[in-house]
Amino acid sequence: MTISSIFTFNFNKKIMKRKLFPLAFIIYPILFFSQVGINTQTPHPSSVLDIQSDTKGLVVPRLTTAAINTLAATASEGLIVFDKEKKSFFGWDGSKWQNLGYEEINTVPSATNATISGNYTIGSVLTGNYTFSDAESNPDNATTFIWRSADDVSGTNAVDILSATSQVLTLTVSEQNKYIQFCVTPGSSVGASPGLQKCSSWGGIVGANQAPTASAVSITGTSIQGQTLTGNYTYNDAEGNTQGTSTFRWTRSDDASGTNEATIAGATGLNYLLAAADVNKYIKFYVTPIAASGTLLGTETGSSYIGPVTLPSLISGDVFNEGFESGAANGYFTLATTSANANTGVVSGNSAAGWSPSNSPKFASGTRGYQFGGTSGATGANVVFLSPVIDATQYTNNMTFSMRVAAFGTSSGQGLDSGTNDNILVEVSSDGGSTYTTTLQQGGNSNANWAFSATGNATTTYGTNFSQNSGSGNNLATGPSTLSITGIPNTISQLRFRITVKHNQTAAQDEYWVIDDIKLVAP
């Protein structure tokens, strides 16, 4: 039995070119029985709702394209809407909208130019490339990918690589000695989809992870004793593995052919300071590249020889000038030892407002100095700087050593104390550092402090020993801010300097030495 007041509606299907999908439509909102007829007393037994009419139609929900796309998130399979912008019916198939009009209204997307980029070695990342096209400009948002491996470029024994379903592939040992192919099936969440699968050519063969290499190995700098050479190179790794801790060495030989080549002891950095032993020799730089992952150790590669190393043509002027401007205390002078209870480091800027002297530069020139203090409870904290061995015979007589010194307290009334506890000792050797004779020592005194602008000096001549304490009290205008040794002869072929800074802190840190501009000048 049907509802007594019923309407009739006929939905006429229209065929153009090929076929039109049938539309199965709306259920009347109130159902009293298993079948409902509108404008008919006898609904067809196969229908839930039978609408009959010779003059009217059925209107379904009319949405914009944007609203239909938003509706996709909650759509139920079988949902039908009308796109009032595209003038077409769409039905949700459970995963995407299907155009319910004529098939010719929308064409499937296509993929062209399928290629692979990347290095065919284990650990490398390959990238699949393609060009997506769609006649209706539908988005590329449902495209799928697969990767395959095979025994040769013809695809013999080709198999899909499991789980390789993205546009990139990281090669593993499973792919070693194989050839690789990338395939793309173009797809879109709207319109006709998917398109035909397209595959790249087979690429390979996949090799083992390659060791890093060093190229463009060279030396920059001037081959003159006392000058610093720098080793240069370019690190390379086929798989893109980053550089680990590569190692370096320097050698000296009798000629540019490498006769009697020998590794220089201790020369293991990128920089090398030419010494007296290098005069008339040829120098070479070697690097062994090391990767942080993958195959770690590469092959050692060397530069060309440079030389011969000559004596400096300069016979006057600065022999050295250590101002700590490189940001490290290992420029010309070597930081030989530092006790565990020392508090040291390169500094810049001014002292703090509460210090004494306050707001004073912690450098004599440039922008950096070297600050030294002890730690709480320290006894005999010290740091030792060593110069290289200097052949003074190439310079004029009466060479002068000098350095700048400042002393700071962390507040008024604090500073450097007795010279036996807090002092700076300069020593001179004529035998390359086996023994030291001439000494100059400057100590503190009763919480003394002064800035680099102080005008005092502590001076001695070569061959004598000299020691003094500063005046006591804060902010000494005549504090010994310059220490110097004069009359150093140019007859010494193994001249060397040693500087020891000592600090005997027994309470909370409240005092610092700062040194700068360590010079040797041949006037």
Side-chain angles (χ1 to χ4, degrees), residues 221-229 252 264 272-283 306-320 332 387-395 399 432 490 492-496 520:
T222 306
S223 54
I224 299 175
Q225 180 190 349
Q227 296 294 309
T228 298
L229 302 180
R252 66 169 67 96
I264 301 172
Y272 175 63
L273 181 68
L274 290 168
D278 300 316
V279 174
N280 297 323
K281 300 292 186 179
Y282 290 76
I283 307 299
I306 68 166
V309 177
T310 61
L311 292 171
S313 58
L314 179 67
I315 61 172
S316 64
D318 287 354
V319 180
F320 60 75
Y332 191 85
S387 78
V389 176
I390 302 161
D391 183 1
T393 61
Q394 59 193 298
Y395 299 101
M399 305 170 79
N490 68 341
I492 304 173
S493 62
Q494 291 186 299
L495 180 65
R496 194 169 205 181
L520 181 63

Side-chain angles (χ1 to χ4, degrees), residues 266-342:
T268 58
L270 281 173
N271 299 316
Y272 175 63
L273 181 68
L274 290 168
D278 300 316
V279 174
N280 297 323
K281 300 292 186 179
Y282 290 76
I283 307 299
K284 189 171 184 177
F285 168 71
Y286 289 89
V287 55
T288 299
I290 297 177
S293 59
T295 300
L296 303 183
L297 185 63
T299 301
E300 183 181 62
T301 304
S303 68
S304 299
Y305 291 94
I306 68 166
V309 177
T310 61
L311 292 171
S313 58
L314 179 67
I315 61 172
S316 64
D318 287 354
V319 180
F320 60 75
N321 185 344
E322 175 60 276
F324 305 104
E325 295 305 309
S326 65
N330 59 353
Y332 191 85
F333 272 74
T334 300
L335 186 60
T337 60
T338 303
S339 60
N341 49 5

Side-chain angles (χ1 to χ4, degrees), residues 170-423:
T170 300
L171 294 169
T172 67
V173 292
S174 300
E175 286 79 58
Q176 187 168 353
N177 299 322
K178 299 290 186 179
Y179 290 79
I180 305 298
Q181 185 182 59
F182 167 71
C183 295
V184 52
T185 301
S188 180
S189 61
V190 296
S193 184
L196 296 177
Q197 184 185 74
K198 296 295 182 181
C199 296
S200 69
S201 300
W202 290 94
I205 186 171
V206 177
N209 186 278
Q210 299 182 43
T213 62
S215 60
V217 183
S218 64
I219 298 174
T220 55
T222 306
S223 54
I224 299 175
Q225 180 190 349
Q227 296 294 309
T228 298
L229 302 180
T230 299
N232 310 284
Y233 68 99
T234 300
Y235 173 86
N236 306 285
D237 188 275
E239 292 76 32
N241 297 320
T242 58
Q243 183 173 197
T245 306
S246 297
T247 60
F248 317 108
R249 69 185 181 101
W250 296 80
T251 66
R252 66 169 67 96
S253 302
D254 293 342
D255 53 40
S257 299
T259 303
N260 296 322
E261 182 178 21
T263 298
I264 301 172
T268 58
L270 281 173
N271 299 316
Y272 175 63
L273 181 68
L274 290 168
D278 300 316
V279 174
N280 297 323
K281 300 292 186 179
Y282 290 76
I283 307 299
K284 189 171 184 177
F285 168 71
Y286 289 89
V287 55
T288 299
I290 297 177
S293 59
T295 300
L296 303 183
L297 185 63
T299 301
E300 183 181 62
T301 304
S303 68
S304 299
Y305 291 94
I306 68 166
V309 177
T310 61
L311 292 171
S313 58
L314 179 67
I315 61 172
S316 64
D318 287 354
V319 180
F320 60 75
N321 185 344
E322 175 60 276
F324 305 104
E325 295 305 309
S326 65
N330 59 353
Y332 191 85
F333 272 74
T334 300
L335 186 60
T337 60
T338 303
S339 60
N341 49 5
N343 180 7
T344 68
V346 174
V347 291
S348 60
N350 295 345
S351 60
W355 286 31
S356 184
S358 63
N359 297 314
S360 295
K362 290 187 176 183
F363 50 85
S365 65
T367 60
R368 294 180 175 90
Y370 193 87
Q371 180 173 286
F372 175 79
T375 57
S376 180
T379 56
N382 64 78
V383 59
V384 178
F385 299 98
L386 281 178
S387 78
V389 176
I390 302 161
D391 183 1
T393 61
Q394 59 193 298
Y395 299 101
T396 57
N397 200 2
N398 298 324
M399 305 170 79
T400 298
F401 171 91
S402 65
M403 64 184 294
R404 301 298 307 280
V405 177
F408 291 94
T410 58
S411 63
S412 179
Q414 296 176 338
L416 281 302
D417 298 313
S418 167
T420 59
N421 295 326
D422 304 326
N423 62 71

Side-chain angles (χ1 to χ4, degrees), residues 355-357 406-418 421-422 443-450 470-475 503-505 508-513:
W355 286 31
S356 184
F408 291 94
T410 58
S411 63
S412 179
Q414 296 176 338
L416 281 302
D417 298 313
S418 167
N421 295 326
D422 304 326
N445 187 6
S446 301
N447 291 321
N449 53 67
W450 62 89
S470 67
S472 63
N474 300 120
N475 300 322
H503 200 298
N504 190 16
Q505 183 67 30
Q509 181 64 50
D510 59 9
E511 55 199 32
Y512 294 93
W513 289 110

